[in-house]
Amino acid sequence: MLIVAIRTVILYSALLLTIRLMGKSELSKMSPFQLTVIFMIAELAAIPLDSIDASLINGLIAIFMLTFLQVLISFLSIKVEWFKNFISGKPSIIIEKGQLNIEEIRKQRISITDLMEQLRIKNCPSISDVQHAIIETNGELSIIKKSDVLSSIIISDGNLYEENLRFSGLDYQTFESKLRKVGVTSIKSVFLALCDDNKTLHIYIENKDKGPFTKEIKI
């Protein structure tokens, strides 16, 4: 009994540390990949508790190795766009500018009944009230009403999202010239750049000397 109690305390402490190392963002809305890692960690923690003969050290090594891999993958997902898309997939736009994207709806195997149900849950009973509907990478449906404003990420942590740039109606040369007008000489210096439906660029820059500041540009 004492051995089981000691093992339980050690594994419980290891799991708490694992969750802290993974960060809060991993626990809010998990992708299928993150959910798989959580299940694997839980299974690895259960093995030394179910069997006294199972190695506690091996179980802890496996848990912390999975944690290290998850933290590494999260870091790479922030820095490398194609890697993030490979791991988590991309959001799917099923209603775009008030129009149903039938091809994407069929691709995601969503019935109109399910779509209408989700719209009602989001307090949007009619498709005609929707400007954009997006299935996020975690499977949740995001609704942008026609009275709201949708913002697309153009730059995140110095990385350019070329697809979103085209979606916003901008080409690279025009976008670059807009940045130069507000004193931005390199995309790598931009922490975040958004473009909303009102054709306004919101640029967030972190300056080591002056601190963070924001610029807005009308396209």
Side-chain angles (χ1 to χ4, degrees):
M1 292 293 293
L2 180 60
I3 294 176
V4 173
I6 293 173
R7 282 181 169 228
T8 302
V9 171
I10 292 173
L11 287 167
Y12 178 74
S13 301
L15 289 177
L16 281 181
L17 178 60
T18 295
I19 292 171
R20 292 291 294 170
L21 289 173
M22 288 175 67
K24 296 178 181 178
S25 62
E26 305 291 347
L27 304 177
S28 54
K29 295 292 182 180
M30 292 185 290
S31 68
F33 176 79
Q34 293 164 337
L35 196 60
T36 300
V37 171
I38 291 293
F39 283 146
M40 289 181 66
I41 289 175
E43 185 67 24
L44 288 170
I47 292 173
L49 293 179
D50 290 339
S51 174
I52 299 299
D53 296 330
S55 172
L56 178 62
I57 298 299
N58 289 344
L60 290 174
I61 290 173
I63 289 172
F64 285 119
M65 179 56 68
L66 274 176
T67 304
F68 169 76
L69 290 174
Q70 177 58 30
V71 172
L72 177 63
I73 287 171
S74 297
F75 175 78
L76 291 175
S77 296
I78 293 172
K79 296 296 183 182
V80 184
E81 182 184 357
W82 70 263
F83 185 80
K84 176 185 176 182
N85 293 335
F86 175 75
I87 294 295
S88 302
K90 297 194 295 184
S92 299
I93 301 175
I94 58 174
I95 299 178
E96 183 175 352
K97 297 179 181 178
Q99 300 296 319
L100 282 174
N101 188 338
I102 297 175
E103 182 180 353
E104 192 64 29
I105 289 174
R106 288 174 176 167
K107 181 180 176 182
Q108 299 300 325
R109 298 184 296 278
I110 301 170
S111 69
I112 294 299
T113 303
D114 291 338
L115 176 59
M116 294 301 297
E117 180 182 346
Q118 289 300 314
L119 291 178
R120 289 193 297 271
I121 291 173
K122 299 288 185 179
N123 295 320
C124 198
S126 175
I127 292 178
S128 61
D129 296 329
V130 180
Q131 181 72 0
H132 299 279
I134 304 166
I135 300 178
E136 306 295 354
T137 55
N138 58 21
E140 185 173 345
L141 183 66
S142 297
I143 303 294
I144 310 296
K145 297 181 180 180
K146 289 186 176 179
S147 58
D148 298 330
V149 176
L150 173 68
S151 294
S152 299
I153 299 175
I154 307 299
I155 298 175
S156 176
D157 201 14
N159 295 309
L160 179 66
Y161 288 67
E162 295 183 7
E163 186 174 337
N164 290 351
L165 185 66
R166 291 191 296 270
F167 178 78
S168 300
L170 286 170
D171 58 70
Y172 181 78
Q173 288 75 19
T174 303
F175 179 63
E176 199 173 36
S177 67
K178 296 287 185 183
L179 292 180
R180 285 198 297 268
K181 286 182 179 179
V182 293
V184 178
T185 57
S186 172
I187 288 176
K188 295 297 182 183
S189 65
V190 179
F191 178 72
L192 179 64
L194 304 171
C195 183
D196 61 33
D197 284 340
N198 295 326
K199 297 300 180 182
T200 301
L201 283 171
H202 305 267
I203 302 169
Y204 302 84
I205 303 169
E206 185 175 4
N207 188 299
K208 293 181 180 180
D209 300 322
K210 300 179 181 179
F213 64 91
T214 307
K215 295 284 186 180
E216 290 188 359
I217 310 171
K218 198 70 177 178
I219 300 176

